[in-house]
Amino acid sequence: MKKIGVLSVLCILVLSTIVVSGYAEEDFRTLFEAQTENQSLSETFTGESKALGDGIAYSWATLDAEGNPSAIGVNFTELSLYGLPEGELTEYILPLPEEASAAAYDHIGIDWNPKGHEPQGIYDRPHFDVHFYMIGQKERDKITATEEDMANLSKDPEPEYVPEGYVSTPGGIPRMGAHWIDPTSPEFNEQPFEETFIYGFYDGEMVFVEPMVTIDFLKTKPELTKQLKLPKCYPTEAYYPTSYSIRYAENTEEYTVSLEGMTLR
């Protein structure tokens, strides 16, 4: 809706200078109609929904006019920020809709961290870790993070599979893998942690991407979109994101955490 509105304004401005440009009005109307028609042909499919706090969360995927994934993500209602468990980490699994099969991701895991997690002084604030997993649940179960598994966790991927500037953190997490962070992120440069983006690897291969966001930042009702630092190569041919967003919609009272600008790589 917002893109169409901006396009309408641009068309009006162009039509108002038609004498200078030399184009006929019908040419611009044809261009505008074609572009809005392409936008209207995109379609969003919702996946499974689950209770999250006092609200609900559900996965979704948007396909473009050619039927290719352009964005995937999770929405959760504003009430989801309340009534959450107060103990340790709780994971909520959401399969992606089958229409997203051309994307590189299998399912979404929303991890609620009521006390945050390591490193202390950085990520020890109540927050959500939203994992977009590139492997299935059975494959995740093989990631044990035990002493016997450390060789797989510590195996570095080839440099072309790592976004420029990202570095590994020690050890790994069961059913997740090794976390790679961007040391130029605000939270590592004397600014409070609000949101960030992490890559995950196991046995030298990328297995997830992870937007992280604090409850406090969500309560500001953000409208955030950031370009991703991307690797030169990916493990398999599929659609991968070029940006991510964290948004709040007043009309639906829902938050969105999404991977956007999907391109075939």
Side-chain angles (χ1 to χ4, degrees), residues 19 38 43 57 62-63 72 97 105 119 124 135 149 193 207 240 245 247-248 251:
V19 175
N38 285 337
E43 189 170 1
T62 297
L63 306 187
I72 61 173
Y105 307 95
D124 55 354
I135 57 175
D149 198 29
F193 163 51
V207 293
Y240 295 88
S245 292
R247 302 190 184 100
Y248 177 80
N251 59 330

Side-chain angles (χ1 to χ4, degrees), residues 1 22 26-27 55 76 132-133 136 148 152 159 180 183 215 244:
M1 295 293 290
E26 56 267 24
D27 293 333
F76 46 95
F132 291 80
Y133 285 102
E148 293 78 11
N152 293 320
W180 288 59
I215 289 289
Y244 72 102

